[in-house]
Amino acid sequence: MINLKPLPFAKVRVTFTLDRDTPPGPTSVVGCFNGWTPGRHVLRGRSNGKRSTSVVLPAGTALSFRYLTEGGVWSDDPAVQTRDKQGNPRITV
């Protein structure tokens, strides 16, 4: 699940949320916002049984991303249907 929260100065907080164990193992979100670098935005466990991480980006940014779980397992957010030219999920914040 992706949550967008408008912030002052034309910024948006993008929160990426997954169930705690789906996919199983440590998971990070990687994308154009972090140079596709694993481990920079690790999803952390929350008290509600979910795990999440957030990034702040300029409003209007086109964002391509995927989830990467330990062992090199890639997955996509099932709620995001739009894809970029490489087939990665894409949203505009």
Side-chain angles (χ1 to χ4, degrees), residues 1-82:
M1 177 173 84
I2 308 294
N3 184 21
L4 306 177
K5 180 179 180 184
L7 299 172
F9 308 110
K11 302 282 185 182
V12 176
R13 175 178 293 121
V14 182
T15 302
F16 301 90
T17 304
L18 295 175
D19 289 332
R20 188 173 303 262
D21 296 319
T22 305
T27 301
S28 59
V29 61
V30 296
C32 59
F33 61 92
N34 64 11
W36 295 90
T37 305
R40 290 188 65 194
H41 293 92
V42 176
L43 281 77
R44 306 275 182 218
R46 307 295 178 209
S47 61
N48 65 358
K50 305 285 185 181
R51 55 188 168 165
S52 65
T53 191
S54 296
V55 297
V56 175
L57 300 168
T61 299
L63 172 66
S64 296
F65 70 96
R66 294 190 79 193
Y67 299 109
L68 180 60
T69 303
E70 88 180 329
V73 178
W74 291 93
S75 59
D76 297 330
D77 193 304
V80 178
Q81 300 301 311
T82 303

